[in-house]
Amino acid sequence: MTPECSSLQFVSPFAFEAMQKVDVVRLASLSDPELRLLLPCLVRMALCAPADQSQSWAQDKKLILRLLSGVEAVNSIVALLSVDFHALEQDASKEQQLRHKLGGGSGESILVSQLQHGLTLEFEHSDSPRRLRLVLSELLAIMNKVSECSGEFFFKSSELFESAVYLEEAADVLCILQAELPSLLPIVDVAEALLHVRNGAWFLCLLVANVPDSFNEVCRGLIKNGERQDEESLGGRRRTDALRFLCRMNPSQALKVRGMVVEECHLPGLGVALTLDHTKTEACEDGVSDLVCFVSGLLLGTNAKVRTWFGTFIRNGQQRKRETSGSVLWQMRRQLLLELMGILPTVRSTRIVEEADVEMEPTVSVYSGLKEEHVVKASALLRLYCALMGIAGLKPTEEEAEQLLQLMTSRPPATPAGVRFVSLSFCMLLAFSTLVSTPEQEQLMVVWLSWMIKEEAYFESTSGVSASFGEMLLLVAMYFHSNQLSAIIDLVCSTLGMKIVIKPSSLSRMKTIFTQEIFTEQVVTAHAVRVPVTSNLSANITGFLPIHCIYQLLRSRSFTKHKVSIKDWIYRQLCETSTPLHPQLLPLIDVYINSILTPASKSNPEATNQPVTEQEILNIFQEVIGGDSVRLNQRFSITAQLLVLYYILSYEEALLANTKTLASMQRKPKSYSSSLMDQIPIKFLIRQAQGLQQELGGLHSALLRLLATNYPHLCIVDDWICEEEITGTDALLRRMLLTSNAKTHSPKQLQEAFSAVPVSHTQVMQIMEDLTLLSASELIPYAEVLTSSMSQLLDSGVPRRILQTVNKLWMVLNTVMPRRLWVMTVNALQPSIKFIRQQKYTQNDLMIDPLIVLRCDRRVHRCPPLMDVTLHMLNGYLLASKAYLSAHLKETAEQDRPSPNNTVGLVGQTDTPEVTREELKNALLAAQDSAAVQILLEICLPTEEEKAKGANSDLSLRNTQGVITISTPNKETEEGEDSLLCNLREVQCLICCLLHQMYIADPNIAKLVHFQGYPCELLPLTVAGIPSMHICLDFIPELIAQPELEKQIFAIQLLSHLCIQYALPKSLSVARLAVNVMGTLLTGQVCASDVATQTRDIDPIITRLQQIKEKPSGWSQIYKDPSYKNGSRDMGSMDPDVQLCHCIESTIIEIINMSVSGI
């Protein structure tokens, strides 16, 4: 503090509060010297007319007058108040203008004429008006100079403000002037000017004490105009001292003023000084002090501007040599050191510790450990010193370093706060290794680290904190062994909660201690396996856990290097998981799979970890596999099951991806059996994961990727759409309609109801209607009964509603258990042949030969609801077969690899077998798909019985544009429409939908099928019913160019229907080609009689056109169509596509007429 004001009496906090509240009783209790400082305000209060006209104020005013009656100085103040302030203000304004005009250095003054003596003598001999003019003139001169200097500090020597004899009188004049001339003398400007004169802080306090309402305004103005670094200049220090005096006068506002300091980022020394003053008055022995909280908040807060500003204050303070007790930074460091020493344990000696380890009982410790009530404060101090050294660049003294090391190596109680303290201490040792400078200190650190290892399990069990410091020790040891120093730095910064610069070179000594004295690599791996897994591991458990340590050891291949089995630990940890998913679990599984498949070194190909056994996997899914209960086993959470599923799928994918590499190393890791995969309810688990996407992080998307790659038959788009319908608002509606009866039905009751179908349909219909209200998972127990009873529904007389309900239930079950459901359904729909035992197909059989699905009972082909199910299964197994063959190709890739003995003869041909096998696989898949299409097309043909009944009088679907409609002559329209409402037509529609999907997925299938050919009577159906048939226009020229006459005729037949269905420019160009080919065929390259015969017998378009020529009445019926009546046949107003179609027809008619007439 400034020594110039040390002998002066300041306004006490008691007096200031009395003035603020106008507490007359308190004012009366003040001593005469204290009351003397407040006279200007009290006199004005007593003499001026008050705004408050209440009776209570009248009584208080009387007390004030009585209080002032005995004070002699009151008379001089009354005389000051009697002056004409209006004239004084006018003269002051004129003087301001004159000074501005002539320059600030002008000696002339309107307020004060030429002085005969010095200011002090003039002030002594002057009357009240002249005294006011003297002080006003001097004050205005200082204020003008302040404004001219624009921030540069100067010190103004003035007798008026320095003479101890007249200080009180000058202060009276100053207070009266400011009170009576507030517009001329703004209090903030006056306060700024007082900083430049001797005793300015004292004058400022008196001024504010007489105008107590201006306290915040004055403080904010002084701070706003202050320096960014107050300790760097004389002006900054004087400003800080003045504000400290103000806050001592009004301590209740000190913290608010400190907030202004931080807000403006000015005067950091003032902020610290005010905190020190507050800490001394509000001392708290056990809790964290205000100084620690304030400085920590500045350095560790989110405001980078504040952090930089205060860091600069620390750095600049260290650079100055003036580190005396007068420095605010020195006072702060001293106070922090005293607080640190106040919580240190008393007995601290390395020698005693060593003796104690040898001679004393394990439960006895010569350390008087850190008291529990001091642990939180100790942690706060450690973080503060870390911030001061790491962010602000503080260089600790020897004393500070010694005491810090003593605190860091102290032993806290086994509480969560104690675990936190040990973690902070350990990270601080890593971050600031320079604190350990002597061999004794290094030994102290080693002993403390050994204590940490020994007590880690006790701390974790007692404190109840899962993330203990033992895992951090282990993790750091692993990082040191793998030389991942940057990872250690990240770990330290994360634990300390601050970003500090740590040079990797500073960790060299700690690395030596860890890797050679405390944690050798073998000790690390052996210790890691014994670490208990984290119970109910989830993302809610923060900190460094055993899983982090195991992950790093797996990455560095330490377990395989030292032949330590980690499989059981990983399996137990996967079983002990819950939501939300911990982010380290998926990387752990990935690196574990890599350690199973890839040896640690080429020299030792057997150095790998063991995979999880099939029985262990089945144990996790046993409750779902059993099917007795819809709910998952309570022993294993859904998280554990999804993680194990992710492990299996990732393992199988990685095994296939590394087949060649493993073959070159002559290793063949075991793949999981297909029977295991069949038992895992993959789709059910994926559906469960879909509802937990937020809690599972990236697990759901990772599972979908693996599923789309390895199990495409479980990712059919129609299934996803069906699931959206099942899990949407309909599910809520079903829950609302769900009755108690629906829950009471058992699979046995359903079986009995199906057995009674030939007699009564009511019971089975009622039960199935109730079952439709259940969720998909609740339907699982009924799946076997439902599928096994399907064959009973193929008999005639079964109501369509029962079949549709079975289809609906099957589709719902398909969302949770598709693979198992498909196998049961295929086996249930096999044709029943007497004396021949039905074969029970497996999932593997159906993937190898998907066409087994179509070898079902022929009655299914005319049962649309069950045919829909069959087509769904066929599509799925065709996709599954592709994935199965691709996986098989990768698994057996090493079979085509030449042996070492034959490499000489096969140079340059190593890739040939691979290419051949790939081509063979593609050929097999194409043959498989085309065979399925041909069988489906054959199903679309009417049977002899249906032909006899006339159920298929017209195979073609009605043209959607209404351009042409062909029906059997002499039949009523109603009969033609009725003929479309039959099972065959519905089955044809279902098959066309599937063929459309297949053609879009792989257009080569469409090309292959049409090159193979199929019955021409199906062409109207396929062209009208399969929207993607337009792709045939691309390869019809190639088909017409085939040498076989049958293929040429089939191509022209196909084209004739495509031209009518798709009136496109491309159709016209292909039609011209066809016309030319037909002309060639009919004019001499082949026997004319053969062509004429085949024309009438085979080519439907020729037959049709000839019918048009021979029977014009047929055209008249066509013209009766509404579209013709509306003028759609008018060539002038017709659509261009339709015109194009007519051009093609007319051209072909002309050719046919010429050809027929020639024959």
Side-chain angles (χ1 to χ4, degrees), residues 567-587:
K567 183 258 295 182
D568 293 335
W569 190 96
I570 291 178
Y571 177 76
R572 291 196 305 271
Q573 184 61 83
L574 291 181
C575 295
E576 285 288 340
T577 52
S578 60
T579 53
L581 188 74
H582 195 280
Q584 198 64 38
L585 283 165
L586 295 187

Side-chain angles (χ1 to χ4, degrees), residues 318-580:
Q318 286 187 118
Q319 292 172 2
R320 291 193 308 272
K321 302 300 181 184
R322 193 183 59 86
E323 281 295 332
T324 63
S325 59
S327 166
V328 175
L329 178 60
W330 183 90
Q331 294 175 22
M332 181 190 79
R333 294 177 70 167
R334 188 63 189 167
Q335 179 64 29
L336 289 175
L337 186 60
L338 290 173
E339 291 188 23
L340 190 152
M341 295 171 65
I343 61 175
L344 277 178
T346 53
V347 181
R348 306 297 298 179
S349 170
T350 306
R351 181 184 58 77
I352 294 176
V353 172
E354 290 173 346
E355 293 173 358
D357 288 341
V358 177
E359 300 173 2
M360 291 193 171
E361 294 290 331
T363 55
V364 179
S365 174
V366 295
Y367 280 84
S368 57
L370 201 60
K371 293 181 180 179
E372 186 173 351
E373 61 268 23
H374 290 160
V375 174
V376 174
K377 185 175 183 179
S379 298
L381 279 168
L382 287 185
R383 287 195 76 224
L384 174 57
Y385 271 102
C386 285
L388 286 171
M389 292 188 286
I391 297 175
L394 181 74
K395 296 177 181 178
T397 62
E398 289 185 9
E399 185 181 11
E400 287 173 332
E402 173 67 24
Q403 299 300 329
L404 270 174
L405 186 62
Q406 295 291 334
L407 179 62
M408 285 189 291
T409 54
S410 60
R411 302 181 181 183
T415 62
V419 172
R420 171 70 174 158
F421 171 78
V422 173
S423 301
L424 289 173
S425 299
F426 176 57
C427 288
M428 191 171 180
L429 278 174
L430 293 171
F432 306 104
S433 54
T434 53
L435 294 173
V436 182
S437 55
T438 65
E440 292 79 10
Q441 291 176 337
E442 186 174 303
Q443 183 62 29
L444 176 64
M445 180 185 67
V446 171
V447 171
W448 183 73
L449 290 173
S450 302
W451 168 81
M452 281 179 67
I453 299 168
K454 186 190 303 182
E455 296 295 324
E456 179 263 330
Y458 168 70
F459 262 71
E460 184 168 349
S461 61
T462 306
S463 66
V465 180
S466 298
S468 181
F469 52 80
E471 283 74 37
M472 187 183 297
L473 270 173
L474 204 58
L475 196 59
V476 170
M478 288 182 289
Y479 283 143
F480 272 131
H481 278 287
S482 56
N483 203 33
Q484 299 183 53
L485 301 182
S486 60
I488 295 177
I489 294 171
D490 292 340
L491 172 63
V492 169
C493 293
S494 176
T495 304
L496 294 176
M498 62 190 79
K499 188 68 176 176
I500 56 180
V501 179
I502 304 173
K503 295 180 180 179
S505 58
S506 65
L507 297 171
S508 57
R509 182 57 189 149
M510 291 293 289
K511 179 181 178 181
T512 305
I513 293 173
F514 261 81
T515 56
Q516 297 179 11
E517 298 183 32
I518 300 177
F519 274 115
T520 62
E521 190 173 43
Q522 193 165 2
V523 171
V524 169
T525 53
H527 181 76
V529 179
R530 294 194 301 269
V531 173
V533 299
T534 307
S535 180
N536 290 323
L537 175 64
S538 70
N540 294 329
I541 303 177
T542 57
F544 296 93
L545 306 166
I547 189 173
H548 295 94
C549 306
I550 301 298
Y551 173 74
Q552 289 302 326
L553 287 172
L554 279 170
R555 282 190 62 187
S556 60
R557 307 308 296 269
S558 299
F559 293 112
T560 51
K561 197 182 301 180
H562 297 285
K563 298 181 180 179
V564 177
S565 176
I566 193 60
K567 183 258 295 182
D568 293 335
W569 190 96
I570 291 178
Y571 177 76
R572 291 196 305 271
Q573 184 61 83
L574 291 181
C575 295
E576 285 288 340
T577 52
S578 60
T579 53

Side-chain angles (χ1 to χ4, degrees), residues 193-325:
L194 291 174
L195 297 178
H196 298 264
V197 298
R198 188 176 178 82
N199 301 319
W202 182 82
F203 279 101
L204 179 57
C205 288
L206 260 66
L207 178 63
V208 173
N210 283 276
V211 192
D213 292 343
S214 66
F215 180 86
N216 286 329
E217 181 187 358
V218 169
C219 290
R220 182 171 289 280
L222 291 177
I223 292 170
K224 199 166 187 176
N225 296 327
E227 296 79 357
R228 284 186 61 83
Q229 299 297 329
D230 49 354
E231 295 245 302
E232 300 299 307
S233 64
L234 174 63
R237 291 192 293 272
R238 289 183 65 84
R239 189 182 299 271
T240 297
D241 289 342
L243 283 163
R244 285 183 75 179
F245 278 121
L246 285 173
C247 290
R248 285 182 179 178
M249 183 177 70
N250 188 11
S252 63
Q253 294 295 308
L255 296 183
K256 185 175 181 180
V257 173
R258 187 181 71 178
M260 298 176 191
V261 167
V262 178
E263 182 183 343
E264 299 291 340
C265 284
H266 287 171
L267 311 177
L270 173 62
V272 175
L274 293 176
T275 307
L276 287 169
D277 295 340
H278 183 259
T279 302
K280 292 173 183 176
T281 56
E282 303 289 337
C284 180
E285 294 183 1
D286 296 335
V288 181
S289 70
D290 185 56
L291 177 63
V292 175
C293 295
F294 173 67
V295 180
S296 298
L298 296 181
L299 292 175
L300 300 177
T302 57
N303 194 325
K305 179 182 176 182
V306 171
R307 186 164 55 246
T308 305
W309 162 68
F310 195 75
T312 305
F313 166 72
I314 301 292
R315 291 187 182 88
N316 293 348
Q318 286 187 118
Q319 292 172 2
R320 291 193 308 272
K321 302 300 181 184
R322 193 183 59 86
E323 281 295 332
T324 63
S325 59

Side-chain angles (χ1 to χ4, degrees), residues 80 202 341 392 718 729 762 866 1019 1025:
L80 290 172
W202 182 82
M341 295 171 65
D718 289 346
T729 54
T762 308
L866 297 187
L1019 283 174

Side-chain angles (χ1 to χ4, degrees), residues 630 687 734-735 771-780 812:
V630 174
R687 188 174 175 194
R734 285 199 304 273
R735 285 292 173 189
L771 293 181
T772 57
L773 300 176
L774 298 179
S775 65
S777 56
E778 291 170 335
L779 279 177
I780 292 176
V812 173

Side-chain angles (χ1 to χ4, degrees), residues 1076-1089:
N1076 292 333
V1077 172
M1078 289 174 64
T1080 303
L1081 291 175
L1082 299 174
T1083 56
Q1085 289 191 9
V1086 295
C1087 176
S1089 59

